[in-house]
Every structure is written in C-alpha cells, then in structure tokens.
Amino acid sequence: MKELFPMKQIMGFVFSLMLTVVALAVYFLNMSFAMGMTILVVTAFIQAAVQLVVFMHAGETKDKGAIYTNVYYGVAIALVTIFGTLLTMIWGYN
C-alpha cells in the first residue's frame, strides 16, 4: 500500500535537522576538545545511519541482509584503518 503522506521521510528530515543543530552547538558552545569531538563523532554516525535507512531505503528490499553486511564490513575496515594509523603515527608503535 502506498502512503499518501511520507511521514517516515519527514521524521527522518526533522531528526537530521536536530542532529545538525546539535553538531552546530559544538561550534558555538565553549566546550573542551574531547567533548566536542565525541559529540561530533556520535552525531555523524547517527546521521549516517538515518541517511542510510530512511533516505536510501536500505532495509526495504529483499537483499537488506547483504546491504547491512556490506555497511558493517565498511565500518570495520574504516575503524581498523583509523586505529591502525593512530597506532603507527601517534601512539608510537615500535
């Protein structure tokens, strides 16, 4: 059945705007670097999940398992790359 009013997309858009306001507040509020970066990283991952599920319709097809597996694999590779770079460049791997 087709929806006449795209409530899911409207709510996703509003939630995206709220996440953007939270990220913008990091710029305007005087907070520590660690707190600001934590808020920005968390809002970025939530924003990516909202975009993937709501606007890219990742869970609406029969191959949603493969789509989510590829996303998890991509996130794992990104995290290994980031922490591997930190290990070698900053934390002084010997």
Side-chain angles (χ1 to χ4, degrees), residues 10-33:
I10 299 295
M11 293 305 294
F13 178 68
V14 170
F15 192 56
S16 293
L17 286 177
M18 289 176 12
L19 288 169
T20 302
V21 168
V22 169
L24 191 60
V26 169
Y27 177 75
F28 287 111
L29 298 176
N30 190 15
M31 59 180 64
S32 68
F33 178 77

Side-chain angles (χ1 to χ4, degrees), residues 75-93:
V75 168
I77 294 297
L79 289 175
V80 166
T81 302
I82 290 168
F83 285 112
T85 301
L86 288 173
L87 176 69
T88 58
M89 300 288 191
I90 295 175
W91 295 329
Y93 176 75

Side-chain angles (χ1 to χ4, degrees), residues 1-89:
M1 181 174 158
K2 244 182 155 90
E3 295 179 25
L4 295 177
F5 188 75
M7 183 56 82
K8 183 178 176 184
Q9 282 78 16
I10 299 295
M11 293 305 294
F13 178 68
V14 170
F15 192 56
S16 293
L17 286 177
M18 289 176 12
L19 288 169
T20 302
V21 168
V22 169
L24 191 60
V26 169
Y27 177 75
F28 287 111
L29 298 176
N30 190 15
M31 59 180 64
S32 68
F33 178 77
M35 177 65 82
M37 287 305 293
T38 302
I39 292 172
L40 289 176
V41 166
V42 168
T43 57
F45 276 104
I46 294 172
Q47 183 80 279
V50 168
Q51 295 292 322
L52 182 69
V53 173
V54 176
F55 299 113
M56 298 173 89
H57 309 285
E60 295 180 5
T61 61
K62 63 180 178 175
D63 60 344
K64 69 180 179 180
I67 292 171
Y68 285 130
T69 301
N70 287 336
V71 169
Y72 295 144
Y73 178 71
V75 168
I77 294 297
L79 289 175
V80 166
T81 302
I82 290 168
F83 285 112
T85 301
L86 288 173
L87 176 69
T88 58
M89 300 288 191

